Each structure stands twice: as structure tokens, then as C-alpha cells.
């Protein structure tokens, strides 16, 4: 992964924020960023529990294959963090340091996510998730205790990603009510 043509992403990758909301256009590597962050956290931190949620089963399968399985298979570094003895399915990726990424979908309700312990929660295509379900999903991190920069943080890390389809959806709600509303503009030549 190279930032030379993705300079606009470096600050987002390096943010120390506990909550990150990506409200972006199509094809700007939002899901790639989520996948890379999940893989990085899982490899760097022992016993890290990550939860990825998208609205549909198909979106979750696509993310699992394209953003997790493919980088692991093509990167000798990432490949060294797993073995054929560990679980590597569409819905669960395990690593040799006891970290894992659990993948679920939650279009109409959050039942598939209940009871999954998580330190990091990534919600992708958040504009299509029901706002009421997000609080239920976030509870998966209620018992998380992380050491971040030498400080203890209770309650997990959250990343939300989506593309606005209208001004009346979950993404817009989070943008208006729970965001610093920082903006990056990338010139198009």
C-alpha cells in the first residue's frame, strides 16, 4: 500500500481519534481504509477483537474477500500473521497473536451483532444502517479496555464510513450531530 497517490488519506490513517466518520464520494477507498486499519490493529495488537458491520450479507462477503482475504494472500508480511490452522472464513478471521476480525451485517436489526466482544467497531455503508441499530452494535465495545498512547481508554474505537445518498439518513445524522465536520478537498485536475 502506497500513499504517493493517496496523500489525502495519510492524515485519516494516522488520526488518533477514538471516533472517525468518513463521509465521502464513491470509489475513494473508504472500505480499503477500514480493511487496512482492521488488519493493522489485528497484527500489531495481541488479542484485539475487531467487528466489521455492513448493511447486507453481500457487502460483508465482498469486504471479507476483497479487503481482508486478498491483502493477506498477497502480502508476505500479513500472511505471516496467520496459518492454515486458524479460522479464515467469510465471517471470522483469526491471527496467530489471538486477535480476530468478526464480520456481520445488520440491515433491519442488529441481532447478528449482539454479544460479540469488540475493541474496534467499523460500520461501513453507514448511510444504509438504521440509526437505532448503531447504539446496539456499539455496545459490543462496552467492556473494551485499550492502552492508547500510554493511556487507558475504556469503550473501544469506532470508525463509520459511507456515501451520502440524501440528507435524511444515518450518515447525515452522525455528520450533523456527532462530528467535528472537518473536510478534506482533493483537487481534480
Amino acid at each position: 500500500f502506497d500513499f504517493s497517490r493517496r496523500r489525502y488519506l495519510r492524515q485519516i490513517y494516522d488520526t488518533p481519534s477514538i471516533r472517525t466518520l468518513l463521509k465521502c464520494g464513491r470509489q475513494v477507498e473508504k472500505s480499503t481504509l477500514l480493511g487496512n486499519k482492521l488488519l493493522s490493529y489485528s497484527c500489531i495488537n495481541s488479542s484485539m477483537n475487531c467487528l466489521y458491520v455492513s448493511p447486507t450479507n453481500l457487502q460483508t462477503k465482498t469486504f471479507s474477500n476483497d479487503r481482508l482475504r486478498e491483502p493477506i494472500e498477497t502480502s508476505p508480511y500479513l500472511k505471516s500473521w496467520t496459518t492454515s490452522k486458524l479460522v479464515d472464513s467469510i465471517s471470522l478471521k483469526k491471527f496467530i497473536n489471538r486477535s480476530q476480525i468478526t464480520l456481520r451485517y445488520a440491515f433491519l436489526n442488529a441481532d447478528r451483532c449482539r454479544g460479540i466482544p469488540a475493541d474496534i467497531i467499523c460500520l461501513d455503508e453507514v448511510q444504509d444502517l438504521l440509526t437505532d441499530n448503531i447504539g446496539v452494535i456499539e455496545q459490543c465495545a462496552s467492556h473494551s479496555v485499550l492502552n492508547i498512547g500510554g493511556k487507558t481508554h475504556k469503550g473501544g474505537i469506532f470508525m463509520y464510513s459511507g456515501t451520502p445518498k440524501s440528507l435524511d439518513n444515518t450518515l447525515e445524522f452522525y455528520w450533523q450531530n456527532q462530528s467535528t465536520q472537518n473536510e478534506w478537498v482533493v483537487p481534480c485536475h
Side-chain angles (χ1 to χ4, degrees), residues 119-130:
D119 298 302
I120 297 171
I121 297 177
C122 290
L123 301 176
D124 202 4
E125 303 295 347
V126 73
Q127 75 278 355
D128 294 328
L129 292 172
L130 297 176

Side-chain angles (χ1 to χ4, degrees), residues 1-188:
F1 191 80
D2 182 5
F3 284 104
S4 61
R5 296 184 67 201
R6 300 173 174 101
R7 290 179 310 186
Y8 61 97
L9 288 175
R10 182 164 303 268
Q11 188 175 4
I12 300 167
Y13 269 86
D14 290 342
T15 184
S17 297
I18 298 302
R19 291 184 185 268
T20 306
L21 172 68
L22 302 172
K23 176 184 169 185
C24 307
R26 297 247 173 248
Q27 302 304 314
V28 296
E29 303 183 34
K30 297 180 300 293
S31 295
T32 299
L33 181 142
L34 295 181
N36 289 344
K37 296 272 281 192
L38 288 173
L39 289 168
S40 296
Y41 277 116
S42 296
C43 293
I44 292 170
N45 302 288
S46 296
S47 302
M48 179 69 64
N49 289 311
C50 302
L51 175 61
Y52 169 87
V53 181
S54 74
T56 70
N57 188 27
L58 181 59
Q59 288 167 318
T60 299
K61 284 181 179 179
T62 300
F63 181 88
S64 181
N65 287 323
D66 296 352
R67 305 296 178 243
L68 299 178
R69 192 196 78 222
E70 189 173 319
I72 290 170
E73 287 179 354
T74 58
S75 167
Y77 179 77
L78 291 174
K79 195 181 289 187
S80 70
W81 287 95
T82 188
T83 73
S84 60
K85 295 177 183 177
L86 295 172
V87 175
D88 179 19
S89 67
I90 294 291
S91 61
L92 183 62
K93 310 283 184 198
K94 289 198 172 197
F95 299 87
I96 60 173
N97 63 355
R98 300 182 53 91
S99 289
Q100 64 183 24
I101 302 171
T102 304
L103 300 103
R104 295 290 187 265
Y105 61 99
F107 182 61
L108 295 176
N109 64 59
D111 289 348
R112 288 176 203 85
C113 303
R114 291 180 188 272
I116 298 172
D119 298 302
I120 297 171
I121 297 177
C122 290
L123 301 176
D124 202 4
E125 303 295 347
V126 73
Q127 75 278 355
D128 294 328
L129 292 172
L130 297 176
T131 306
D132 291 343
N133 290 339
I134 292 179
V136 174
I137 297 167
E138 288 175 341
Q139 283 302 305
C140 293
S142 63
H143 293 293
S144 173
V145 179
L146 299 171
N147 185 336
I148 301 173
K151 295 180 181 178
T152 300
H153 169 72
K154 295 180 181 179
I157 296 172
F158 303 90
M159 291 180 270
Y160 312 86
S161 170
T163 301
K165 293 180 177 179
S166 70
L167 296 177
D168 185 24
N169 60 48
T170 302
L171 179 63
E172 201 58 36
F173 173 82
Y174 273 78
W175 170 256
Q176 291 293 325
N177 299 302
Q178 298 186 15
S179 169
T180 60
Q181 299 180 3
N182 290 337
E183 294 186 33
W184 284 265
V185 178
V186 180
C188 181

